Amino acid sequence: DLIIAVKGVIMQEEGNQEEPYGESVEEYKPKRGFWDCFYIPIQWFSMLSREMHWSFVFGVVVIYGISQGLGVALAEVGTKYYMKDVQKVQPSEAQIYKGITSIPWVVKPIWGLLTDVLPFFGYRRRPYFIFAGIIGVVSMLLLSLHENMHLVLALLSLTAGSAGVAIADVTIDACVAQNSISHPSLAADMQSLCAASSSIGSLFGFFISGVFVHLIGPMGVFGLMTIPAGLVVSVGFLLYEPRMHHTSYRQVKQNFVDASKAMWTTLKSEDVWRPCLYMYLSITLSLEVREGMFYWYTESKGGPSFSQESVGFIFSISSVGSLLGAILYQYALKEYAFRNLLFWTQLIYGLSGMLDLVLVLRWNLKFGIADYVFVVIVESIAQMTNRLKWMPMLVLSSKLCPSGIEGTFFALLMSIDNVGLLSAAWGGGFVLHILRITRTRFDNIWLAILIRNILRITPLWLLFLVPRTEPNSSILPTTETIDSEVVIETSDSKNVELVSLVHSVDAK
């Protein structure tokens, strides 16, 4: 009887606690708070490091965040003042010279081909990071220590420094593309990591650039650039990469031939060349007139007449827009189909350019908006929309890379984009020259901006070249449609199969 009574009491208590228990679950349900803003990114970094090794994440942060983000931000502001105050060139000339220094980015397939088929000491990636860092250190030291350098020598040094950054970029891109193939579900996350690192680095780099240009001059800024280049060397020593034993250098020539054939065969696929054509045209038609705007910011009597510190702070704050664009893509837009997302981003990108027209016509002053505030808003929106436009194109590019030559082919796709940037820079320089915009004359700067904005809208009529697929879907043809195979020997004991991944020619 005592046992039965005890069981009854226990059952009664359990019945009484059933409802409060449900309330307690609701009461102690985890809630998202302020600290999640820090916890979620840390958890995300931890996941990426766990899936792909911490040295890969470290390499992305150094190359994208410090070398390209912080370093390029310092170099951009330093080069602008170096060309304007030290070399004393015209805006149209500065625009052309900017295109010349970007040539190493145009020949990225060469660097990519080398990283894929020509290993050193058994490694395909690590030696190229070391080589790229050394080039950057030497070129920046020459610029910082050589006073009254001839313009040709200065351009060669700037181009060499750009080559160092480009080689490091194509090598880490090869690692990203390789991991995108082995971890397809994390392809968008890896591009978000690259974009976030670049944006944060740019934010800090632009923030300190104006101050350092004012304190130590543009040549001193070039001296600071040796630090990011030195960190690139450290990536070469720390990156985890399995070593290939018994590397056969006799196969290097054949590797080049086979990789070139595989790359060309893949590029001929309609699923590949159509989006490539869109990426090139959409960038080319967005004429670059930033050098003209920079001269107007600092030299025009009717303009804002910003100081060096102000220019750095403006670019720094506007980098927040780029970071917001990367965050917005990662958490809200990465699942949308390529064509739909590119339509809206290209449209907003074109319309946002009209704010520059409001600025140069001084309408912002009529509305009581100060130049400094308005320029920060304009630059922030431009950076955010440009990042939103660029992110899906990067993810699309990584999806177009065949296995085995991912470094080469991703570099080819990026070089197509860089040819577009070069065309946009030289096209913008031509427009500035035709409209006779000089160091002291800015009467037609508004017309250059209007022409640029109109051309930015035209790629909307070319979106039929972009696939309708979503980022998580496969774009390249399946193995059922493969019509040829190319094999590249990277060692005596292991082959890397390169598949052309094209539709059958007879079927077309």
Side-chain angles (χ1 to χ4, degrees):
D1 294 338
L2 179 61
I3 294 175
I4 294 174
V6 170
K7 286 184 177 180
V9 171
I10 292 175
M11 293 178 61
Q12 183 178 2
E13 290 179 354
E14 288 179 351
N16 294 335
Q17 291 178 356
E18 182 176 358
E19 184 175 352
Y21 179 76
E23 294 177 355
S24 62
V25 170
E26 184 70 23
E27 181 180 355
Y28 292 100
K29 184 178 180 180
K31 297 180 180 180
R32 294 187 177 273
F34 172 77
W35 294 109
D36 286 328
C37 299
F38 300 95
Y39 175 72
I40 293 176
I42 293 174
Q43 190 179 36
W44 183 57
F45 268 92
S46 177
M47 180 271 296
L48 292 177
S49 299
R50 184 175 60 255
E51 294 290 333
M52 289 165 293
H53 201 268
W54 67 267
S55 61
F56 167 75
V57 177
F58 173 75
V60 170
V61 172
V62 169
I63 303 302
Y64 276 100
I66 299 177
S67 178
Q68 292 189 42
L70 186 147
V72 172
L74 284 172
E76 181 176 345
V77 177
T79 303
K80 286 179 183 294
Y81 280 101
Y82 181 77
M83 288 295 177
K84 183 174 74 73
D85 298 334
V86 178
Q87 297 293 342
K88 300 186 183 301
V89 300
Q90 297 292 341
S92 57
E93 296 174 337
Q95 194 76 57
I96 298 298
Y97 297 149
K98 182 180 180 181
I100 292 175
T101 58
S102 68
I103 288 177
W105 294 83
V106 175
V107 296
K108 284 180 67 174
I110 296 178
W111 320 131
L113 196 59
L114 289 172
T115 63
D116 279 334
V117 304
L118 184 58
F120 287 97
F121 308 107
Y123 296 104
R124 299 169 62 196
R125 316 297 186 195
R126 296 175 65 179
Y128 292 95
F129 285 122
I130 297 173
F131 177 65
I134 292 174
I135 290 178
V137 171
V138 173
S139 60
M140 292 299 104
L141 280 177
L142 287 175
L143 283 168
S144 63
L145 299 177
H146 211 302
E147 296 182 2
N148 301 321
M149 180 179 287
H150 192 274
L151 179 60
V152 175
L153 294 177
L155 285 175
L156 288 175
S157 297
L158 288 171
T159 304
S162 178
V165 180
I167 294 172
D169 173 78
V170 75
T171 308
I172 198 65
D173 281 346
C175 298
V176 172
Q178 186 174 356
N179 283 322
S180 296
I181 294 172
S182 60
H183 302 78
S185 62
L186 297 177
D189 291 272
M190 281 182 273
Q191 293 299 336
S192 297
L193 174 65
C194 297
S197 300
S198 178
S199 299
I200 294 173
S202 297
L203 173 63
F204 184 69
F206 282 123
F207 183 78
I208 64 176
S209 61
V211 176
F212 279 105
V213 169
H214 177 73
L215 293 177
I216 60 179
M219 295 176 61
V221 170
F222 291 142
L224 289 177
M225 287 291 297
T226 58
I227 299 176
L231 288 174
V232 173
V233 176
S234 70
V235 174
F237 287 105
L238 297 175
L239 182 70
Y240 171 74
E241 181 183 7
R243 185 176 182 180
M244 298 183 299
H245 298 284
H246 309 295
T247 302
S248 177
Y249 287 98
R250 299 176 183 176
Q251 293 293 326
V252 169
K253 181 179 179 180
Q254 187 61 38
N255 288 354
F256 272 99
V257 174
D258 292 342
S260 300
K261 288 181 179 179
M263 185 167 57
W264 172 246
T265 308
T266 306
L267 189 61
K268 289 191 299 183
S269 171
E270 184 177 352
D271 296 310
V272 177
W273 69 260
R274 286 167 61 93
C276 289
L277 180 61
Y278 172 81
M279 287 188 286
Y280 169 75
L281 293 176
S282 65
I283 295 173
T284 300
L285 293 172
S286 300
L287 292 182
E288 183 66 67
V289 294
R290 288 178 65 86
E291 298 302 318
M293 289 296 295
F294 171 72
Y295 277 71
W296 181 81
Y297 283 159
T298 57
E299 297 291 333
S300 176
K301 294 181 179 179
S305 299
F306 290 137
S307 63
Q308 296 166 340
E309 297 92 334
S310 297
V311 170
F313 289 151
I314 288 171
F315 288 157
S316 173
I317 298 174
S318 64
S319 297
V320 176
S322 180
L323 179 60
L324 290 176
I327 295 173
L328 183 61
Y329 176 81
Q330 168 65 22
Y331 290 102
L333 302 175
K334 69 177 183 179
E335 302 296 335
Y336 284 83
F338 289 114
R339 187 182 296 184
N340 296 338
L341 184 56
L342 286 173
F343 172 83
W344 291 107
T345 53
Q346 189 69 43
L347 179 62
I348 296 173
Y349 184 61
L351 295 177
S352 65
M354 291 296 179
L355 294 176
D356 285 328
L357 194 61
V358 174
L359 179 65
V360 298
L361 294 176
R362 316 304 286 144
W363 291 348
N364 62 295
L365 298 179
K366 295 181 180 180
F367 292 104
I369 305 176
D371 287 329
Y372 189 88
V373 175
F374 193 77
V375 170
V376 167
I377 296 174
V378 170
E379 290 291 333
S380 299
I381 295 176
Q383 292 284 344
M384 182 179 68
T385 54
N386 188 48
R387 176 65 71 181
L388 287 174
K389 183 175 74 76
W390 188 246
M391 289 291 292
M393 295 171 74
L394 287 175
V395 177
L396 176 61
S397 297
S398 67
K399 293 286 184 179
L400 297 176
C401 297
S403 179
I405 53 170
E406 57 277 341
T408 304
F409 204 78
F410 193 84
L412 174 64
L413 298 179
M414 291 299 97
S415 71
I416 293 173
D417 295 345
N418 287 312
V419 172
L421 292 173
L422 179 62
S423 302
W426 284 357
F430 179 75
V431 170
L432 293 175
H433 178 73
I434 292 297
L435 297 179
R436 298 181 178 181
I437 299 172
T438 65
R439 295 170 59 93
T440 57
R441 185 175 179 181
F442 303 95
D443 297 338
N444 293 325
I445 188 69
W446 68 271
L447 184 57
I449 295 172
L450 182 61
I451 294 173
R452 180 202 66 182
N453 294 342
I454 293 174
L455 290 177
R456 279 185 178 180
I457 302 296
T458 53
L460 294 176
W461 283 267
L462 302 173
L463 280 171
F464 65 91
L465 297 171
V466 180
R468 293 182 179 273
T469 56
E470 298 179 354
N472 292 330
S473 303
S474 177
I475 297 176
L476 288 172
T478 61
T479 55
E480 296 178 357
T481 60
I482 295 173
D483 71 325
S484 64
E485 292 183 354
V486 182
V487 175
I488 288 184
E489 294 187 9
T490 56
S491 66
D492 294 336
S493 60
K494 183 179 180 180
N495 291 338
V496 179
E497 183 177 327
L498 304 181
V499 183
S500 62
L501 298 173
V502 295
H503 293 290
S504 175
V505 177
D506 298 334
K508 289 186 178 182

